[in-house]
Amino acid sequence: MGEQSPASAGYQQPPPRMGFFTDTSVCIGCKACEVACKEWNQVPDDGLNLLGMSFDNTGGLSANTWRHVAFIEQPRNGDTGSGMRWLMSSDVCKHCTRAACLDVCPTGALFRTEFGTVVVQEDICNGCGYCIPACPYGVIDQRRGDGRAWKCTLCYDRLKADLTPACAKACPTASIQYGPLEELRERAQARLEQLHEAGETSARLYGHDPDDGVGGAGAFFLLLDEPEVYGLPPDPVVTTRDLPAMWRRAGLAALTMAAAAVVAFLGRRP
Amino acid sequence: MNASGTGDQGRGTRGTRRETQDQGTRPDRRGEGTRRERRDAAVVPEAEFRSYYGRPIIKAPVWRYDIPAYLFTGGLAAGSALVAAGGDLTGRPALRRAGRLTTLAALSASTYFLINDLGRPERFHHMLRVAKPTSPMSVGSWILAAFGATAGPAAVSELAPLLPRRGPLGLVRRLAPSAGRVAGIGAAMIAPALATYTGVLLADTAVPSWHEAYPELPFIFAGSALASAAGAGLIAAPVEQTSPLRRLALAGAAIELAGAHSVETRLGLLSEPYTTGRAGRLLRAGRTLTALGVAGALLGRRSRVVSALSGAALLTASALTRFGIFAGGVRSAEDPKYTVGPQRNRLTGRENGRERR
Ligand code: SF4
């Protein structure tokens, strides 16, 4: 399967596609991933903020936040315990199979690595900003004062040295699991069934399906509520899916424009 | 009213569920202390939608005013190249000259805006490192480069009369008009691509109101480009030569207004950002000025003053339209309801379809 996938990007005999499976049902909200990511990748701080969003004072993924832990407090329906439930989830770049950021990048700064991940080359990026509104998940962002676009690299440097990405390494509960994508998908399916059997019917996988709008995510999730509750789009689609139709419309508009000019000038002379 | 927003510490649950009326109390994007203007009532009735503390799902473009300004100047350059070629081929020298010089000026402004908007302006040449058909910005960079390589020489050929009549420079002087004509025709052939690719540039993003407007955006921009170029010509050329411009203004305005009307009515919830708030005001003002400009262009054909005023109205209208379309998209990116709503509907539709089968 890896061979035909756009994620293999023409590499000769690439290593298996690597990814993340984030099982949010065991996340304890410790933010070790956020910290480990910042430290390893030397990502600058994004200020000391108090956002009033439960324990989330980060807000979301950005140029300076490549792992973000979301905190949601919900009333638990029909439950006898505390009456509340916590949802915690560590978000990250999805390393899409069909990545809009990479498709629209005009300089070739964004590229597909041999591991099937999506990485920005900081020596090429000229800060045009096109990838930012192209990403259907709102992941990649421009770093103020620097001007270039930044996001999770899935620790490309560590992968090359056969090391586990910093966030997965630091996660104390194995909520963040790293490995070959195929294997992770099987593991996720087993975990889903286990949770369903245990009566946790709200459990669902997100981004695991190779037939979804982005061709499946390289970093996918097990969630306990609708994606939008976590700030994730419920049905993301890579924008370039419609690009052929867009070019056709532009072609038609261009012909119309040329025709209008010809007609205007061929009209009767005054 | 549902307690939500900054004063709601520790009660995130309620904040994740949100109705439309509730949006007035939502804190704005992080870092900006102000609240977004929400005077406009929702036009389309919406289902309740859920979000993460009302935060946007996608990132709004980081592009500054440079990009809508470029949309305007790029369109003006393209339209003026058509005017110049038309004037050249139909024996209207004033139109040729005005068209070529407007093209050069607008092209220079475009280049400035595009480079100025880069996070790393000194790396602008990385745009021509690769040619990527999946990136409208890459395609556009090449279109702009090719356009510059033809429109530039066409404009420079206008300087030929300044050369001496004799000697080697005299030869250049004599050859310049034909060289200018060849270059000018080349520019005119590239011009429609330059004016319309920008529609794809905006549409090929996750910005909901831009993406879904992809059938219309290139038409709006093509029409707007023609109308603005006609406007520039009406200001610069004597009335005896401007009859094609009046027809061009009419055609451009018709194409632009039809496209804008469609975008404002066809997209359901995603039309809303174009009809309300800042974008709505810009587009309405643009439409009014377009109508005035066309009326003036058609009725004031004997008056240089009325023609010039109409031209100014058309130019302003084109700029307003570009800023309006830009603002509408940004607005649709900033509010998660525009991202979540249509995607939810799509999912529900798919599920219902599956059940029926
Ligand atoms: S999630 Fe966004 S930034 Fe990450 S690969 Fe996909 S499109 Fe690119």
Side-chain angles (χ1 to χ4, degrees):
Chain A
M1 190 247 134
E3 260 66 61
Q4 307 99 302
S5 165
S8 61
Y11 284 100
Q12 303 293 319
Q13 306 197 312
R17 181 173 179 194
M18 303 305 272
F20 285 132
F21 165 45
T22 306
D23 177 356
T24 70
S25 68
V26 291
C27 177
I28 54 169
C30 69
K31 303 192 194 178
C33 50
E34 280 192 23
V35 176
C37 173
K38 285 233 177 204
E39 297 231 326
W40 178 263
N41 293 300
Q42 300 186 312
V43 182
D45 78 302
D46 28 13
L48 202 58
N49 305 303
L50 285 174
L51 301 179
M53 293 160 40
S54 186
F55 285 102
D56 181 1
N57 290 309
T58 310
L61 295 175
S62 72
N64 297 340
T65 298
W66 301 352
R67 268 279 177 193
H68 160 247
V69 184
F71 291 80
I72 299 127
E73 299 167 32
Q74 287 185 335
R76 200 192 269 275
N77 5 343
D79 185 69
T80 42
S82 65
M84 294 293 290
R85 80 165 176 169
W86 278 96
L87 299 180
M88 284 157 281
S89 168
S90 178
D91 195 10
V92 69
C93 169
K94 316 301 175 288
H95 294 277
C96 310
T97 305
R98 298 180 195 280
C101 61
L102 189 158
D103 281 351
V104 305
C105 174
T107 63
L110 273 150
F111 79 114
R112 176 82 60 186
T113 73
E114 63 273 35
F115 302 102
T117 55
V118 180
V119 174
V120 192
Q121 301 172 80
E122 50 204 72
D123 55 336
I124 305 290
C125 176
N126 67 4
C128 77
Y130 202 10
C131 51
I132 295 162
C135 171
Y137 302 93
V139 169
I140 194 163
D141 197 7
Q142 189 174 45
R143 184 174 290 166
R144 320 254 172 280
D146 170 279
R148 292 171 292 177
W150 297 86
K151 71 171 192 72
C152 160
T153 67
L154 216 137
C155 283
Y156 188 35
D157 51 347
R158 293 179 65 96
L159 262 58
K160 276 191 169 297
D162 228 353
L163 294 170
T164 300
C167 56
K169 188 85 189 166
C171 179
T173 66
S175 172
I176 301 176
Q177 301 178 28
Y178 161 77
L181 194 58
E182 286 296 297
E183 204 181 302
L184 291 177
R185 282 180 179 153
E186 282 163 30
R187 228 189 280 170
Q189 197 55 43
R191 174 69 179 153
L192 182 69
E193 280 156 25
Q194 189 187 28
L195 282 171
H196 281 174
E197 268 158 39
E200 190 53 73
T201 49
S202 62
R204 74 209 62 199
L205 297 181
Y206 176 79
H208 63 297
D209 182 0
D211 295 325
D212 72 12
V214 299
F220 66 103
F221 301 80
L222 185 149
L223 305 177
L224 298 177
D225 203 336
E226 305 287 4
E228 55 267 39
V229 172
Y230 297 88
L232 295 165
D235 186 30
V237 173
V238 56
T239 181
T240 41
R241 192 189 64 180
D242 296 327
L243 189 56
M246 293 179 194
W247 283 129
R248 278 197 295 277
R249 289 296 292 182
L252 205 59
L255 286 178
T256 309
M257 183 176 176
V262 170
V263 170
F265 274 95
L266 286 188
R268 149 183 71 89
R269 309 238 0 211
Chain B
M1 172 146 290
N2 188 338
S4 68
T6 30
D8 185 32
Q9 273 131 14
R11 292 178 59 195
T13 345
R14 311 234 42 208
T16 59
R17 202 167 249 285
R18 191 180 301 279
E19 293 101 72
T20 334
Q21 314 90 277
D22 190 85
Q23 280 161 0
T25 60
R26 166 140 24 95
D28 209 335
R29 291 162 77 190
R30 187 154 52 100
E32 299 166 24
T34 52
R35 279 175 188 169
R36 217 183 300 132
E37 172 203 23
R38 289 285 313 175
R39 281 189 297 127
D40 322 280
V43 181
V44 183
E46 301 148 33
E48 186 179 87
F49 82 106
R50 304 169 79 191
S51 77
Y52 186 65
Y53 299 94
R55 296 182 66 91
I57 287 194
I58 64 161
K59 294 259 185 300
V62 292
W63 296 327
R64 295 179 302 251
Y65 73 93
D66 302 86
I67 297 305
Y70 160 67
L71 297 177
F72 167 66
T73 56
L76 178 59
S80 298
L82 288 171
V83 167
D88 190 15
L89 296 175
T90 61
R92 294 175 172 98
L95 285 193
R96 186 201 68 220
R97 205 172 310 119
R100 285 178 178 173
L101 297 179
T102 309
T103 303
L104 185 64
L107 182 65
S108 312
S110 302
T111 313
Y112 164 78
F113 288 131
L114 286 178
I115 294 178
N116 190 48
D117 192 70
L118 294 178
R120 287 290 170 107
E122 75 283 5
R123 292 185 178 175
F124 71 94
H125 59 281
H126 288 196
M127 285 297 182
L128 300 180
R129 238 185 116 244
V130 293
K132 266 175 85 172
T134 62
S135 170
M137 196 181 282
S138 171
V139 173
S141 300
W142 286 102
I143 291 175
L144 199 63
F147 185 79
T150 46
V156 169
S157 76
E158 291 296 329
L159 300 177
L162 301 179
L163 294 174
R165 287 182 190 280
R166 289 165 194 286
L169 287 179
L171 185 66
V172 174
R173 179 184 167 135
R174 254 168 290 134
L175 290 180
S178 355
R181 171 168 295 184
V182 172
I185 291 175
M189 288 169 66
I190 302 167
L194 179 63
T196 53
Y197 94 86
T198 43
V200 183
L201 181 81
L202 297 194
D204 193 28
T205 58
V207 174
S209 290
W210 283 346
H211 184 99
E212 292 307 316
Y214 79 79
E216 288 93 350
L217 289 184
F219 282 90
I220 298 176
F221 290 177
S224 181
L226 288 176
S228 66
L234 284 172
I235 295 176
V239 287
E240 304 82 64
Q241 295 188 22
T242 53
S243 61
L245 299 186
R246 299 170 199 279
R247 290 189 286 267
L248 207 56
L250 181 64
I255 298 170
E256 177 193 325
L257 293 180
H261 179 74
S262 175
V263 156
E264 288 168 7
T265 51
R266 185 182 66 85
L267 305 178
L269 178 65
L270 296 182
S271 286
E272 190 182 280
Y274 292 120
T275 55
T276 56
R278 202 173 98 84
R281 284 195 298 277
L282 287 166
L283 289 172
R284 279 191 296 276
R287 184 160 34 221
T288 309
L289 279 180
T290 302
L292 285 175
V294 171
L298 294 179
L299 301 175
R301 60 181 77 235
R302 268 180 256 290
S303 158
R304 183 78 200 246
V305 175
V306 176
S307 293
L309 285 175
S310 312
L314 288 170
L315 279 168
T316 315
S318 174
L320 289 170
T321 302
R322 309 309 181 108
F323 277 85
I325 295 284
F326 188 82
V330 170
R331 172 87 186 87
S332 77
E334 286 171 344
D335 193 327
K337 77 175 172 182
Y338 299 117
T339 303
V340 174
Q343 293 191 18
R344 258 292 140 218
N345 290 344
R346 203 155 66 203
L347 278 178
T348 321
R350 227 181 286 150
E351 270 152 30
N352 291 346
R354 218 173 287 143
E355 265 161 38
R356 242 175 278 130
R357 244 179 281 134

